[in-house]
Amino acid sequence: MSSNIPKMKCLIIDDEPLARFHLKELADQIDFLSVEGTCATALEADTKVKENEIDLLFLDINMPYLTGLEFLEQLENPPLCILTTAYSEYALEGFRLQVADYLLKPIAFNRFYQAVNKAQQQFIISEKLKKNTSLDDPFLYVRQSDSFIKVSWVDILYIESMQNYTKLHFKDKSLIIHQTMKAIEESLPSDHFFRIHKSYLINITHIDMISGGRLFINKIELPISRTRKEELLNQVVYKKLISK
């Protein structure tokens, strides 16, 4: 791994002590992983994810009080995630939530290694894009089948999450790309893009109106989550408010 790419900070979440021990033992064999902690419940993990910078979750599904899927779904900006479970029937639901991979217990090292390498590739791409995107260089490339299309992030109106894909909306077109919302968000300048909802990332320069729990861009109505509305008003609107 390139020395310019930091280690991935991981959090292991499983209500079974032996499962937590096994996952940590596997993760400790990988030089690009750093286990920041283990949690027995999703409620405990919720606090750690919000208070610490976590890049990757190893997340069990069947846990008391709050399941892994319920926990992942309520996160506004979830880290990369590898689901770990004994039940294969949750696979489709996991991929709807854009997980990096899905590991069935008992987890063999070769399958674990394959999953974390897949997660690391997504992490590397987002880190490189994060460093390379600037106001002086507004251009990005997106893959469309065997082609690479040059786009300007300045022209993106908003971005919509579509399971394992994201849809870039422009005034005259839209592009669907195979990338997670988290990776896209990290690759774009944070002073121009704002996550208003778990499914929507908007370019604040294109906002036409904010009314109640709704936001309008190019006559398109988008929802604002309750947890993000106050931050949007404080960071974007109130700073430029000329009438009280």
Side-chain angles (χ1 to χ4, degrees), residues 16 35 68 145 177 187 195:
E16 299 175 10
V35 178
S145 188
I177 62 174
S187 71
R195 186 78 164 266

Side-chain angles (χ1 to χ4, degrees), residues 182-218:
K182 176 179 169 61
I184 289 288
E185 183 174 6
E186 290 179 344
S187 71
L188 294 167
S190 59
D191 54 345
H192 282 70
F193 285 83
F194 189 93
R195 186 78 164 266
I196 60 168
H197 186 276
K198 64 184 177 184
S199 298
Y200 294 101
L201 176 69
I202 59 129
N203 187 336
I204 63 173
T205 60
H206 294 291
I207 295 173
D208 294 322
M209 181 174 71
I210 299 169
S211 177
R214 300 169 299 163
L215 180 146
F216 294 84
I217 293 180
N218 197 36

Side-chain angles (χ1 to χ4, degrees), residues 18 28 64 99 113-114 123 128 143 146 151 162 182 229 242:
L18 284 177
D28 285 343
V99 300
Y113 186 64
Q114 182 184 40
F123 179 67
K128 286 182 176 178
R143 182 191 287 273
D146 294 328
V151 299
M162 301 174 64
K182 176 179 169 61
K229 182 181 176 183
I242 59 173

Side-chain angles (χ1 to χ4, degrees), residues 2 57 63 90 95 107-108 133 139 161 196 215 222 226 233:
S2 169
L57 301 175
M63 291 185 289
Y90 293 111
F95 285 110
I107 300 167
T133 303
F139 297 107
S161 174
I196 60 168
L215 180 146
L222 302 173
R226 284 181 296 175
L233 293 175

Side-chain angles (χ1 to χ4, degrees), residues 115-233:
V116 296
N117 270 286
K118 188 187 294 186
Q120 193 210 21
Q121 290 306 308
Q122 293 186 35
F123 179 67
I124 288 173
I125 290 169
S126 68
E127 287 294 303
K128 286 182 176 178
L129 286 172
K130 203 187 306 182
K131 290 176 181 176
N132 293 337
T133 303
S134 69
L135 293 174
D136 297 328
D137 182 19
F139 297 107
L140 301 167
Y141 285 88
V142 297
R143 182 191 287 273
Q144 295 284 280
S145 188
D146 294 328
S147 304
F148 297 91
I149 300 176
K150 184 179 182 181
V151 299
S152 169
W153 59 256
V154 175
D155 297 325
I156 297 173
L157 302 180
Y158 65 95
I159 299 167
E160 180 182 1
S161 174
M162 301 174 64
Q163 298 184 13
N164 288 319
Y165 295 82
T166 49
K167 190 173 187 178
L168 311 183
H169 292 267
F170 301 84
K171 282 188 177 178
D172 56 351
K173 64 180 178 181
S174 61
L175 295 172
I176 297 175
I177 62 174
H178 189 224
Q179 187 57 277
T180 65
M181 181 69 96
K182 176 179 169 61
I184 289 288
E185 183 174 6
E186 290 179 344
S187 71
L188 294 167
S190 59
D191 54 345
H192 282 70
F193 285 83
F194 189 93
R195 186 78 164 266
I196 60 168
H197 186 276
K198 64 184 177 184
S199 298
Y200 294 101
L201 176 69
I202 59 129
N203 187 336
I204 63 173
T205 60
H206 294 291
I207 295 173
D208 294 322
M209 181 174 71
I210 299 169
S211 177
R214 300 169 299 163
L215 180 146
F216 294 84
I217 293 180
N218 197 36
K219 298 181 181 178
I220 303 295
E221 179 181 332
L222 302 173
I224 310 171
S225 71
R226 284 181 296 175
T227 55
R228 301 296 286 160
K229 182 181 176 183
E230 194 61 32
E231 191 174 346
L232 175 67
L233 293 175

